[in-house]
Amino acid sequence: MAADAATRVSFMSERFEPSSADGKWQLIWDERQCFRADDASDKPRSYVLEMFPYPSGRIHIGHVRNYTMGDVLARYKRMRGFEVLHPMGWDAFGMPAENAAMEKGVHPGGWTRDNIAAMKKQLKRLGFALDWSRELATCEPDYYGHEQALFLDLYEAGLVYRKESAVNWDPVDMTVLANEQVIDGRGWRSGALVEKRKLSQWFLKITDFADELLEGLTTLEGWPEKVRLMQENWIGKSQGLRCTFRFVDSADGIEVFTTRPDTMFGASFVAIAADHPVAQQMAETVPELAAFIAECKQGGTTAAELETAEKQGFNTGLSVEHPLKPAWHLPVYVANFVLMEYGTGAVFGCPAHDQRDWDFAKKYQLPIVYVVSPDGEPAGDEAHLGGGNLINSGFLDGMSVPEAKATVIARAKHDGWGQGETQYRLRDWGVSRQRYWGTPIPFIHCDACGVVPVPKEQLPVVLPEDVDFQTPGNPLLRHPTWKHVDCPKCGKPATRETDTLDTFVDSSWYFLRFASQPGDKPFDPVAIAKWLPVEQYIGGIEHAILHLLYARFWTRALQRIGLIDVKEPFASLFTQGMVTHETSTSTVQFSLGGIIVAPELVEFTNGIAHFVGNGSVLDVEPVAQSGAVAPYVPPYMVEKRGNLAFLRGSDYPVDIGRVIKMSKSKKNVVDPDDIIEQYGADAVRWFMLSDSPPERDLPWSEAGIEGCARFVQRLWRLFGQYDATATGEDKALDRKRDQIVHAAAQDIEALGFNKAVARIYELTSATEKSAPSASRSAAIKALLLLVAPMMPHLAEEAYAAMDEGLIADAAWPPVDPALLIDDEVTVAIQVLGKLRDTITVAKGLPNAELEVLALASEKVQRALDGKAVKKVIVVPDRLVNIVA
RNA sequence: GCGGACGUGGCGGAAUCGGUAGACGCAGGGGACUUAAAAUCCCUUGGGCAUUGCCCGUGUGGGUUCGAGUCCCACCGUCCGCACCA
C-alpha cells in the first residue's frame, strides 16, 4: 500500500501534536477496519479480553489501565502474526440505571444508551485496537433474548429450579442478593444490612458443579494462585461423616455432620442451631428456650462481634445415645455458635479437639476427654487440633487420625447409622432479582398449569420501555399490560414472571457471544471452538469470586448440555492493580456569611479568595484554628512549588496526604478525558504501563505523566533523525537493539510492561548517544516498532514518514540470534565473597585462565594481603571468588 | 482465628537459576545554551569515613553457603481473602 495523502507525514514539525495526530489515526484505523477479527483466517488465533465495563457514563482511570494493558498485548500479538480477537461490549443492565431513572426522571434505557455512546467515544480517544463490529450491550433484546434461550436450555437440563427459601434481602436496593454478593452481612452494592426473607426464587444448580469447578482450578495454570485459592475456599469442600445420634428410647434422632469422625469417643455433648427444627418445636412449649433463641438471633455477624461473642448454650434436657456405645448418653444443647446453614445444623461437641467445643465445655462443666495425642501423652490446657494417635477410643486406639476416620466411617455404614459425606460451603446461585432493568426471566405463571416456560419461538421476552419510576419497587409489577399473557399450555389468562435475572448472568457468557453473533441462536459452536478459550483475560481482583466463578460455571453447564466444547473460558487470567492518587487537604477554610464554601467554589484573583458564584470576597480561616475537618481539594486546584503545595493561584498551603484509591469523596480523581486532552493518548497509555508492575497499585502523579509526555517528544525527535541512506556499522548498538527487542517481547508476553518500558528507555538512550550509521537507523526503526503497541499514534505518525503502510499492519522486528550473545563479558572478582574488582574478557574463557587473571589483579592481591589462597570458585562468564 | 501476598534509596521499582544490589523512571543538586524563561543537553545523587581507598547497607534476629535481596527458622510490620464452616 502506498502512503496516500491522508497518511503522508513529514518531520517538518518539531513537536509531535497528539491533538491532530491521535484523531487522524483513529479514523484511519476505523475506516480500514484494521482490527476486525477474521473468523476465516488461517493464522494462529489469539483472543485477548478485558472485563467489559458497566456503562456508568464515564470511563475512569482504572478502565484506562485495564484496557491499555489488553491493547498492548493485542497489538503485540498482531505484530507477531496472530489473528487477534479483541472485542468490547457493555455490561449494561443494573441498578444505577434505575437509580438515575428515579432521581432524574430519565428512562433507564435512554440513560444507559447515552452512557454507552459517551464512553465509546472516550475509549476511541485512547486508540484501542478493538473490533467494534462485535460490540454488544447486554441490555438489548438481541443479547438477552439469547440469554433467555440458554436459561430455558439449562431449565430443560434440570440445572434451573425454583424454590421458596430464606434469601438475602437488600432493603435499600429492594432486591434479593446471592451469597457471593453479601459481604460482612451487607449488600455488595448498597452497603445496607441484609435481612432474611422467605421468597420463591429461581436458582441455578452451581452446586452440581462444585467438584468440577474445584478440580478445574488445578488446570488453570495461567491464573494467579491467589484467585484459585479464593475460589477453592469459597467452594469450601470438606469430607467427613454424616450420622445420627438417636434420642434415648426413640427411633428419631439428630443428624450431625463432622469432619472429625475419629474423635467420636471424645464426644461430650450434641449441639444444635437455634433455628434447628428440634429447637423450634421445643420452643413452642418452653418459653425459656424461645427467649434463648431470640437472644441468639440478635447477635451480630461482623468479624469483631463474632470474635468477642461468648459461647452460649441452652440445655434442652434431651439425651441422645452415642452411636458407637449406645449405653452412653449425651446431653443436647441449643448453641449460639452452631449454624443452620452449614452441614445439618447440628454438631457433636468434642472439647478436647475443637476450640469452640472446649470453650463451651469449660463454661457448662462438660467432660473433656483427649482421644488423639501426638506422643501418647494427653495434651495441655487447650484443645489439641493437630494429628497423633488415638487413645481412650476402644477399638480405635493406636490408629492414626486418617485411619481412625476411615474406620469410623466404615463402621457407621456397616451398622447403618451414618455414611461418609462431602459438604460444600458453596450454595446454589439464586438469580431472581426484583428489579426492572435486567433480563426478564422467561417463565409464565398459570393457575392451572403452574410455572410454564415461555416457548422458544416467543423469545425474546422484551422488557417494556413504557414504565414509570414514580413509585419505588419493580415497575414490571405495575405495568398495565406487560405481565398479562395467555398460558402457552392451556391458553387461559396467566401472568409473566416479573423478576429479572441477576446481572452476573449477563456477564457469564458474553465472551462466547463475542466469538460469533448469529441472529437465530446465542452462538455458533464452530466459532466458539476456533476462538475459545480466551487466551488472556484481564480485569480487577474484585471479581475473583463473583464473576469469575459464575462464568466458569456457565461455561461448564453449557458444555455439559452439549452446546459448546469448552470447559474453562479463560486460559490465563491477570488481575491488575488499582490506580491510586495522593489526597490533598486545604489548611484553610473558606466561608461566606458564616456558611462554609467548598474549595472548588473558590477562585483567586491576585491571591484573594472569591466565591465563584457571585465574586464575593470570602472569609479565610486556618482549619487548625476553626477545629473543622480539613476539606479535600481536587488535584486541578493544587499547585506544586518545589517541595511545597498551594491552592492554585494563592499562597494558602495544601497538605499532601496518603496515596489511596481514587474516589469522589476524597476528591483525588483524575478524569481520563482531561489528561488525554492535556498530554495526548500515547503519554497516558505510556504512564499506565510505566514504573509499577501491572498487578500492583499504580500511583498517578502529575510529575510522572509530564515525564511520559516529554518522552513522547524525545522519541519524536529521535525518529526524525532516521536516515535510510546512512551507512556504517555499529556492532555494539546492533547487539543492544536485538537484545532489547528480544527481552521486551518476553516482557510483554509475561505482561511485565514496566520492564519492557525500562528496556525501551535504555535503547532510546543508547541510540541517541550513537553516531550516525546504518545501525543507528536500524535501531531507530526497531525502537519505533517496539513502542508501536504502547504508543500507536506516535508510531503511525513517524512510520508514515519513513516507510509504507500502517504500523498497525507491521510485523515485530526480527532478531538475529547471534547478536543475542555477547562476545565479551564482565566478570566479577570477589575475595571471600566481597567484590574487589571486575575484568572484561572474551565470552567463554576457560576457568583456569579466568583464575589466573583474577589472581593477577592488583586489587585482589591487596585484599589478599599475602594470605594463602585455599580455594577458588569460578562461575564461567560471571564470577571468580577467591577464598583465602 | 485460618489462609495468602508483600517488606529494597527521598518516591515508583529492577535484580528471571543463590553469583557485581539499586537497572529504568520520578524527584533533588550542579552546569551548558538563553537578555530571561520554557524546551533541550551534560554531570551528579543509598549512608558513613576518606588522600589512593575502606566500612556499612535489601523490615529484625539467627542459620545454611566460598557467596544470601533471593534458601531455611523465629519474630515484627503492612495489605488482601475467608471466618463460630463442625
Side-chain angles (χ1 to χ4, degrees):
Chain A
M1 187 196 315
D4 55 36
T7 61
R8 192 168 300 127
V9 169
S10 79
F11 285 105
M12 293 300 283
S13 54
E14 252 171 53
R15 282 179 56 82
F16 171 67
E17 295 296 346
S19 54
S20 55
D22 288 3
K24 176 178 70 182
W25 293 107
Q26 287 154 16
L27 201 67
I28 290 168
W29 296 328
D30 256 2
E31 280 169 356
R32 303 199 185 165
Q33 302 192 355
C34 287
F35 308 117
R36 198 160 176 165
D38 178 6
D39 289 323
S41 170
D42 51 10
K43 290 185 197 169
R45 287 159 198 281
S46 175
Y47 185 176
V48 177
L49 184 68
E50 302 96 55
M51 290 180 186
F52 68 163
Y54 176 79
S56 59
R58 305 199 54 77
I59 61 166
H60 57 74
I61 199 92
H63 292 125
V64 178
R65 192 177 189 202
N66 190 183
Y67 301 145
T68 300
M69 289 180 195
D71 198 55
V72 171
L73 189 66
R75 284 176 178 269
Y76 167 79
K77 283 275 174 185
R78 260 179 70 81
M79 292 179 83
R80 292 318 287 257
F82 286 83
E83 186 65 35
V84 173
L85 173 56
H86 186 215
M88 181 56 69
W90 311 95
D91 188 12
F93 273 138
M95 284 287 304
E98 285 187 56
N99 292 339
M102 284 181 268
E103 283 160 23
K104 297 170 197 163
V106 293
H107 189 274
W111 182 83
T112 302
R113 291 178 190 110
D114 287 349
N115 287 348
I116 288 174
M119 288 173 75
K120 185 173 176 180
K121 211 164 156 187
Q122 286 186 297
L123 291 181
K124 290 217 167 192
R125 290 191 69 188
L126 283 153
F128 295 135
L130 292 163
D131 180 354
W132 284 104
S133 74
R134 297 177 192 241
E135 179 183 5
L136 59 82
T138 58
C139 67
E140 303 301 343
D142 63 6
Y143 182 84
Y144 69 72
H146 297 299
E147 185 169 306
Q148 291 165 338
L150 291 173
F151 193 74
L152 292 175
D153 288 339
L154 294 177
Y155 174 76
E156 267 164 46
L159 294 173
V160 173
Y161 66 97
R162 191 175 159 80
K163 77 166 183 204
E164 171 150 297
S165 73
V167 295
N168 308 304
W169 178 261
D170 185 321
V172 169
D173 284 352
M174 297 224 288
T175 186
V176 160
L177 298 176
N179 288 346
E180 289 81 357
Q181 296 161 5
V182 179
I183 293 148
D184 280 342
R186 290 171 182 275
W188 70 290
R189 244 189 47 75
S190 71
L193 273 175
V194 165
E195 302 165 3
K196 287 282 173 200
R197 278 203 186 181
K198 270 213 154 126
L199 280 176
S200 269
Q201 295 283 299
W202 290 98
F203 286 87
L204 280 169
K205 264 197 193 166
I206 190 170
T207 53
D208 252 33
F209 294 77
D211 242 336
E212 266 190 59
L213 289 167
L214 186 64
E215 283 300 305
L217 289 173
T218 59
T219 68
L220 296 176
E221 280 154 26
W223 281 42
E225 191 55 41
K226 179 191 171 79
V227 176
R228 288 197 273 174
L229 206 71
M230 281 166 74
Q231 292 210 353
E232 190 184 317
N233 290 338
W234 188 265
I235 295 167
K237 179 177 184 172
S238 52
Q239 282 168 307
L241 169 72
R242 183 190 185 102
C243 67
T244 309
F245 281 69
R246 280 168 51 183
F247 291 119
V248 176
D249 301 326
S250 162
D252 294 334
I254 293 174
E255 284 230 284
V256 156
F257 175 73
T258 179
T259 54
R260 294 296 304 271
D262 54 307
T263 64
M264 277 193 83
F265 282 105
S268 55
F269 63 96
V270 165
I272 60 176
D275 31 10
H276 192 280
V278 169
Q280 292 287 319
Q281 203 192 341
M282 194 169 173
E284 285 172 19
T285 53
V286 183
E288 294 88 344
L289 177 55
F292 177 76
I293 290 171
E295 198 183 314
C296 285
K297 286 192 172 164
Q298 278 182 351
T301 51
T302 67
E305 283 167 318
L306 290 177
E307 201 107 327
T308 53
E310 205 178 331
K311 305 282 172 286
Q312 296 211 17
F314 181 91
N315 192 340
T316 61
L318 299 167
S319 284
V320 289
E321 293 174 354
H322 192 289
L324 286 166
K325 223 201 261 179
W328 180 6
H329 295 174
L330 302 174
V332 177
Y333 283 81
V334 176
N336 65 343
F337 64 91
V338 180
L339 305 173
M340 194 60 217
E341 299 85 52
Y342 189 79
T344 60
V347 298
F348 78 78
C350 176
H353 302 287
D354 183 293
Q355 195 57 48
R356 286 162 308 171
D357 296 347
W358 173 283
D359 296 344
F360 193 78
K362 281 282 176 197
K363 180 156 179 184
Y364 295 101
Q365 282 106 50
L366 294 160
I368 299 175
V369 180
Y370 284 99
V371 291
V372 177
S373 182
D375 46 14
E377 294 293 316
D381 198 32
E382 55 179 9
H384 169 63
L385 307 176
N389 290 323
L390 275 285
I391 56 170
N392 302 327
S393 295
F395 67 98
L396 300 173
D397 279 351
M399 290 184 189
S400 70
V401 167
E403 270 179 285
K405 281 182 180 174
T407 306
V408 172
I409 291 172
R411 171 72 67 98
K413 192 165 185 194
H414 180 264
D415 295 350
W417 49 268
Q419 71 274 324
E421 192 176 273
T422 303
Q423 280 280 339
Y424 297 91
R425 200 178 156 278
L426 184 71
R427 306 281 93 160
D428 274 340
W429 176 15
V431 292
S432 298
R433 294 292 178 274
Q434 291 67 43
R435 305 301 327 174
Y436 161 74
W437 192 235
T439 300
I441 298 176
F443 281 90
I444 290 164
H445 300 273
C446 171
D447 284 342
C449 310
V451 180
V452 182
V454 173
K456 274 202 175 175
E457 60 274 14
Q458 290 178 24
L459 295 182
V461 177
V462 177
L463 209 52
E465 299 263 332
D466 54 332
V467 285
D468 83 275
F469 289 90
Q470 298 312 302
T471 359
N474 183 353
L476 291 178
L477 278 168
R478 310 187 290 269
H479 193 277
T481 56
W482 182 79
K483 71 173 179 178
H484 301 291
V485 283
D486 293 339
C487 170
K489 244 185 188 164
C490 67
K492 288 189 198 129
T495 55
R496 285 193 190 282
E497 169 68 64
T498 56
D499 283 354
T500 52
L501 288 173
D502 182 0
T503 57
F504 279 103
V505 175
D506 308 334
S507 52
S508 290
W509 71 284
Y510 77 106
F511 42 89
L512 301 175
R513 182 81 183 160
F514 275 141
S516 68
Q517 300 175 323
D520 59 342
K521 54 186 175 186
F523 38 72
D524 169 16
V526 177
I528 300 284
K530 277 184 178 174
W531 289 112
L532 272 286
V534 172
E535 186 183 359
Q536 182 67 62
Y537 197 34
I538 308 177
I541 185 73
E542 67 274 19
H543 291 111
I545 293 169
L546 289 163
H547 162 58
L548 289 165
L549 189 64
Y550 294 148
R552 292 184 60 220
F553 158 60
W554 265 71
T555 305
R556 279 178 185 268
L558 297 178
Q559 193 254 354
R560 186 182 286 183
I561 65 175
L563 294 183
I564 56 173
D565 190 22
V566 183
K567 278 191 172 156
E568 289 289 344
F570 314 120
S572 289
L573 170 73
F574 190 86
T575 53
Q576 105 262 10
M578 291 183 304
V579 182
T580 57
H581 194 196
E582 64 192 20
T583 47
S584 313
T585 45
S586 172
T587 56
V588 293
Q589 178 174 283
F590 303 93
S591 59
L592 182 58
I595 297 160
I596 305 293
V597 173
E600 296 92 296
L601 298 175
V602 180
E603 60 187 2
F604 297 95
T605 6
N606 302 324
I608 311 278
H610 298 270
F611 183 51
V612 171
N614 57 14
S616 310
V617 175
L618 296 167
D619 296 323
V620 184
E621 186 187 15
V623 168
Q625 221 171 75
S626 70
V629 179
Y632 286 105
V633 179
Y636 65 86
M637 290 195 68
V638 179
E639 188 178 335
K640 300 247 171 101
R641 294 174 212 155
N643 283 327
L644 301 172
F646 300 88
L647 284 175
R648 191 172 294 283
S650 81
D651 291 327
Y652 298 117
V654 164
D655 287 331
I656 302 298
R658 285 206 315 146
V659 176
I660 53 169
K661 180 181 181 173
M662 288 190 188
S663 87
K664 273 184 194 163
S665 64
K666 300 286 189 288
K667 293 188 183 164
N668 61 338
V669 177
V670 293
D671 182 71
D673 268 354
D674 294 346
I675 55 179
I676 296 166
E677 182 71 38
Q678 202 173 346
Y679 302 102
D682 289 338
V684 172
R685 291 169 60 113
W686 187 252
F687 185 93
M688 292 293 125
L689 303 165
S690 308
D691 293 349
S692 287
E695 69 277 10
R696 279 201 229 169
D697 288 351
L698 170 68
W700 174 264
S701 82
E702 200 68 10
I705 183 68
E706 274 164 16
C708 292
R710 276 200 302 272
F711 184 62
V712 171
Q713 298 302 337
R714 186 174 152 202
L715 279 178
W716 177 252
R717 287 191 299 273
L718 182 60
F719 293 157
Q721 293 163 22
Y722 177 75
D723 176 7
T725 64
T727 55
E729 193 187 45
D730 182 340
K731 198 75 184 169
L733 186 62
D734 289 346
R735 209 177 277 286
K736 178 138 231 156
R737 179 197 68 216
D738 277 14
Q739 284 174 353
I740 282 175
V741 167
H742 180 71
Q746 287 185 324
D747 288 336
I748 291 172
E749 281 178 35
L751 307 183
F753 304 113
N754 56 323
K755 293 187 220 171
V757 161
R759 292 187 209 283
I760 289 169
Y761 275 116
E762 213 182 313
L763 181 58
T764 304
S765 293
T767 308
E768 282 171 338
K769 290 191 175 87
S770 68
S773 65
S775 296
R776 189 175 200 263
S777 290
I780 290 174
K781 198 155 178 190
L783 206 44
L784 176 54
L785 292 163
L786 228 55
V787 300
M790 303 171 174
M791 308 189 191
H793 309 90
L794 170 77
E796 289 288 9
E797 190 83 356
Y799 197 66
M802 65 173 79
D803 209 330
E804 295 187 343
L806 292 177
I807 208 155
D809 298 323
W812 189 254
V815 166
D816 177 358
L819 288 177
L820 296 183
I821 303 155
D822 282 310
D823 51 6
E824 279 190 331
V825 287
T826 303
V827 173
I829 314 290
Q830 296 178 342
V831 177
L832 283 165
K834 286 190 184 228
L835 183 75
R836 294 299 167 185
D837 201 359
T838 58
I839 51 173
T840 302
V841 297
K843 191 181 168 67
L845 197 70
N847 288 2
E849 289 182 44
L850 271 177
E851 192 176 327
V852 170
L853 285 170
L855 286 167
S857 157
E858 197 185 310
K859 289 173 185 169
V860 167
Q861 286 306 324
R862 199 185 315 140
L864 281 174
D865 195 22
K867 273 181 267 181
V869 174
K870 285 187 198 146
K871 192 161 130 190
V872 179
I873 290 139
V874 181
V875 182
D877 294 336
R878 296 219 68 151
L879 162 146
V880 179
N881 188 11
I882 296 157
V883 185

